[in-house]
Structure formats: C-alpha cells, structure tokens
Amino acid sequence: MRSMTQIRKYGTTGRYVIVLHGGPGAAGYMAPVARGLSDRFRVLEPLQRGSGEEPLSVASHVADLHDIVRKRCRGIRPALVGHSWGAMLALAYAAAHPGDVSALALIGCGTFDPASRGRMRDQIEKRMPESLRYHIEHLMEEVSDPDERLKRVGGLTLPLYSYELVTSILEVESCDARAQQETWEDMIRLQEVGVYPAAFTSIKVPVLMLHGAADPHPGRMIHAVLQRYLPQLEYREWELCGHYPWLEKAVREEFMIELKAWLAGEPHGADS
C-alpha cells in the first residue's frame, strides 16, 4: 500500500494538466488519458495516497494534491482532469484552493446527493445478471485479501458500467480497499453535513462534464445538482458511451479530441 503519493510525468510542452484517477483505491488506470494528452500538454498523473496509520479523508487527498500543484507546476495554475472519484476530488480541491487551478474537466463524475446515488444503484441492479450476483457474493469466501477482492469485483462489474469497450483491461497498478472505504465514508459524511456541493460556489474557473449516457452514474442528474453551485458548468454527453469514454469503441477518438480542444481553449461542441 502506498503511504505517499507517486507521480508519473508525460509530455514536455503546453499547459500543466493533472489527471486524477477514481476509486480512490484503484491507482494507475488514467494512464491512457495522460498519454493521450501528452502531445499537447505537460501531464502529471498522481497515484493517490494509499491507506496507512491515519485514516484517509477528503482533506488529506486535497492536501496531497496541493503539494503537487505547489511543487510541480512552477507557479502555473494547472487544469485538473478527474474521472469518477477523481472528478469529485478536482471539485473539492478547486473549492479549497480556487486561485490555484485554471479549469476542471469532470469525466464520469461521481454523485453528490442521495437521489443520484439511488438512481445509480438501481441502474446497476437492473443490469446485473444473477450469475454475476452469485459470483460476487461468493468472492468473500473465495478471496480473503480485500485488495484482491476489490480488483476482481472491478473486473467483473466493468460491463455494467460500459457500452462497448475496445478492451476490458484497465491499467490498474494497485487496489487499496481500505483507502477506498475511508475516503468514501468521509466524502459521504461531508455531503450529509452540507459541505458539498455547497462549497463549489467558490469555483469560478471553467468546468466541463464529459459523460456517457450508458454510465450508471446519472450524468444529467449530477449535472443538475452541480449547476446550482456552478452556473458556468458545461455538459457533453455521448449516447454510445459508459463510464470510461477513452475505452469506448464509438467515442474514444471524439472524446480525446473534445477534451484536448477544451483544455486548449479551442471552440468545442459541449452542450450546456
């Protein structure tokens, strides 16, 4: 398990872009996005802090990210590109340090209210065949290591989050079940006491959501919740796309073109 944040670097020119993986206990799988952006941007891919002596929190992840921004971006405000939990971290960071980022791109953003989470659970439940449900239920008996169990569940449920992938292999370097549980418990707590999404009113930079219609995370519901606090929020949705747009056969090229153009400040086709 990682006790400190590790950082991969890509590209040598252009603005700084920091890509943030989801989970947070599934480090490494944003590497294809980082590589795809590296021809136009200087990209940093942190492998977020793993579990350790102290419980993880949203604040600890924000502090780690702030350390990276201060030390690695040479006084230049980076754009943050986050996926799933990573999109939520991008928002939390920008709310805490609104003057230290230049833009936020939220890919398959996680949920910020009980109704959206309920809709997501319902979608996953409807898509799950009984054979898969049985397999997952018996993993507790078959696999004692919680990190390995998290990895296997992620692989088994990937089709439930997707439309038509070009590969089912995610470049996950490591899984950390405890890190995931601790961080999510804190994020839910912060939502329940009203910190998020209300804190996002301090964010004034451009923000773009990139979402797949086949993603069980209900993109339009999440957008509606966030837009109350982020009136500048733009929204782009692809019909034949799930939770991992860069791996989806129908949209992966268009997704990368859209993301690069938006980050470069070029005209794009996002729907508000």
Side-chain angles (χ1 to χ4, degrees):
M1 297 179 183
R2 297 178 313 284
S3 60
M4 295 181 66
T5 303
Q6 302 173 31
I7 305 170
R8 295 169 172 170
K9 297 187 290 185
Y10 310 78
T12 58
T13 61
R15 80 191 297 183
Y16 279 102
V17 175
I18 300 177
V19 297
L20 302 170
H21 64 76
Y29 73 81
M30 283 290 279
V33 177
R35 290 193 298 266
L37 294 172
S38 65
D39 61 339
R40 297 185 65 176
F41 308 103
R42 289 174 286 184
V43 184
L44 303 175
E45 181 201 1
L47 307 186
Q48 295 164 37
R49 182 183 294 267
S51 57
E53 294 181 2
E54 297 293 328
L56 285 171
S57 65
V58 175
S60 63
H61 286 290
V62 167
D64 284 342
L65 183 52
H66 191 50
D67 192 55
I68 293 168
V69 171
R70 287 190 301 107
K71 293 180 178 179
R72 301 298 185 103
C73 296
R74 305 174 185 178
I76 301 171
R77 295 185 304 152
L80 304 183
V81 176
H83 175 252
S84 199
W85 147 257
M88 304 173 82
L89 174 57
L91 288 164
Y93 178 80
H97 302 281
D100 291 325
V101 296
S102 58
L104 307 177
L106 315 176
I107 307 167
C109 187
T111 60
F112 285 98
D113 71 301
S116 296
R117 281 192 292 280
R119 176 71 63 85
M120 181 181 72
R121 286 193 294 267
D122 289 346
Q123 289 298 314
I124 294 171
E125 182 71 18
K126 290 177 182 177
R127 298 176 187 183
M128 186 175 293
E130 284 301 320
S131 58
L132 177 56
R133 193 189 319 278
Y134 178 86
H135 195 165
I136 292 173
E137 288 173 353
H138 284 74
L139 275 180
M140 185 69 72
E141 302 171 4
E142 299 168 4
V143 182
S144 59
D145 179 12
D147 297 340
E148 178 62 25
R149 195 158 58 240
L150 176 63
K151 183 177 180 180
R152 291 201 193 183
V153 170
L156 289 169
T157 57
L158 182 61
L160 308 182
Y161 289 79
S162 308
Y163 186 80
E164 184 180 4
L165 300 180
V166 295
T167 178
S168 60
I169 299 173
L170 297 178
E171 297 183 32
V172 177
E173 181 167 295
S174 62
C175 286
D176 189 332
R178 198 177 118 210
Q180 184 143 319
Q181 180 178 351
E182 290 173 353
T183 304
W184 268 106
E185 286 178 353
D186 191 49
M187 171 55 80
I188 297 301
R189 178 187 67 81
L190 291 168
Q191 292 183 25
E192 289 175 345
V193 299
V195 173
Y196 300 129
F200 302 154
T201 55
S202 65
I203 302 171
K204 305 304 179 185
V205 298
V207 187
L208 172 67
M209 282 185 68
L210 298 164
H211 218 89
D215 188 340
H217 296 77
R220 293 191 180 274
M221 287 182 70
I222 296 167
H223 172 256
V225 170
L226 291 177
Q227 197 170 43
R228 299 172 199 160
Y229 308 94
L230 295 163
Q232 76 274 32
L233 180 62
E234 302 173 72
Y235 186 79
R236 175 73 162 91
E237 184 176 270
W238 288 278
E239 190 66 27
L240 309 181
C241 180
H243 195 49
Y244 301 88
W246 64 94
L247 297 179
E248 289 283 359
K249 181 178 180 180
V251 307
R252 58 182 179 142
E253 293 182 3
E254 184 181 348
F255 162 77
M256 287 305 304
I257 290 171
E258 180 92 16
L259 179 57
K260 287 182 183 182
W262 190 82
L263 290 171
E266 299 170 0
H268 54 88
D271 302 321
S272 58

